[in-house]
Amino acid sequence: AHHKTPSNEKDYGFDFGGPIVKDMAHFYVAYEGKEFDSPTTVVPGITGYASYLPASAQSQLGPTNLPFKENDWFGKIDFEPTDKDRFEISGKYRDETSVSGIGGVTTPSAALNTHNTDKRLDARWDHSAYNWFNRLQLTYEDAFFSPTPIILGAGNNYTLTGPQLNTTVLQTGASPLAQQNKGQKGPGFSDDLTFNDLHWHGDHELKLGVSYKSVKLVAQDAGDSNALFNY
């Protein structure tokens, strides 16, 4: 008899902040963490064929789990040297690791280590005058999604022949298509100017600005470290 795989879920975090210089500069830091283990089960795609599989494949049938962990950080410093100027720098960092792709006909040896990272930096200067307001902003982003097979090398896909050709009974290696590397990174710049006290046949507000971004995109859809053989 199969036993149920234990599962758990944890959420935790903290945040704190305060003055650096009274009435002029402040800081804020926050963290949030998540962990959970989700149960899943590996079963043959068609019943009655498990006994034909090699022992190494049969041993991977049954209950297993999918662990996941996430760390989120956020930090900010603001500074107001005058009643007309405000400077603010903030940063965000997210890091996720998980094991995915297990369950059904896919065994733990065909699983993927999935790693997601997201880093963002933001610096801005706000300047207020009597009848206009300007915001200068600099940004940087670096976000990537990169699932990689846990076991590199050849994998096996056990399928049927005859009328049910290509029906998978069990898969014990990750498909080359599963290995990916996708993301984007690069800086950005913007400046927005608002005139808010224009009078001409009524009151008007005029906005103008410029924005520039130089982001490099990466999109790898398949890896070359795994071969998947059909038996």
Side-chain angles (χ1 to χ4, degrees):
H2 290 314
H3 65 279
K4 183 181 180 297
T5 303
S7 61
N8 64 71
E9 185 170 335
K10 298 175 187 171
D11 284 284
Y12 40 86
F14 63 83
D15 67 319
F16 64 94
I20 301 170
V21 179
K22 185 179 178 183
D23 297 331
M24 190 180 287
H26 305 81
F27 77 96
Y28 176 73
V29 176
Y31 167 78
E32 184 181 5
K34 293 179 183 176
E35 288 182 58
F36 47 85
D37 240 343
S38 305
T40 187
T41 307
V42 178
V43 292
I46 299 178
T47 53
Y49 286 89
S51 60
Y52 293 98
L53 296 168
S56 60
Q58 289 187 44
S59 67
Q60 296 187 63
L61 293 168
T64 183
N65 54 12
L66 298 165
F68 171 90
K69 186 171 184 178
E70 178 181 277
N71 294 302
D72 284 323
W73 288 92
F74 175 78
K76 183 174 80 168
I77 292 175
D78 61 66
F79 175 50
E80 295 187 15
T82 74
D83 58 357
K84 292 181 171 62
D85 295 287
R86 176 182 171 88
F87 296 89
E88 189 177 291
I89 296 176
S90 64
K92 186 173 82 170
Y93 176 66
R94 179 168 61 88
D95 185 90
E96 285 179 0
T97 52
S98 63
V99 173
S100 62
I102 308 174
V105 299
T106 312
T107 64
S109 63
L112 300 170
N113 273 326
T114 301
H115 191 200
N116 298 341
T117 57
D118 191 351
K119 305 167 201 166
R120 295 179 190 268
L121 198 61
D122 188 310
R124 69 172 62 160
W125 170 29
D126 290 345
H127 180 76
S128 304
Y130 170 68
N131 58 1
W132 58 274
F133 171 81
N134 191 75
R135 170 170 289 178
L136 173 66
Q137 190 163 5
L138 303 172
T139 60
Y140 184 81
E141 60 188 273
D142 182 343
F144 275 84
F145 167 71
S146 52
T148 306
I150 283 180
I151 297 173
L152 299 178
N156 303 323
N157 188 29
Y158 299 97
T159 67
L160 295 182
T161 57
Q164 292 173 305
L165 180 67
N166 294 334
T167 302
T168 298
V169 179
L170 205 67
Q171 182 176 324
T172 61
S175 163
L177 299 174
Q179 184 173 358
Q180 300 176 25
N181 186 33
K182 297 180 177 178
Q184 58 190 68
K185 65 178 177 179
F189 157 87
S190 68
D191 190 86
D192 296 298
L193 179 60
T194 303
F195 293 97
N196 49 24
D197 195 24
L198 300 175
H199 305 287
W200 186 73
H201 297 294
D203 294 333
H204 303 278
E205 186 175 77
L206 175 66
K207 292 188 177 185
L208 58 146
V210 60
S211 180
Y212 173 79
K213 218 171 193 185
S214 176
V215 174
K216 181 183 178 184
L217 300 176
V218 175
Q220 177 193 315
D221 269 334
D224 57 4
S225 56
N226 276 49
L228 192 64
F229 294 95
N230 287 311
Y231 291 95

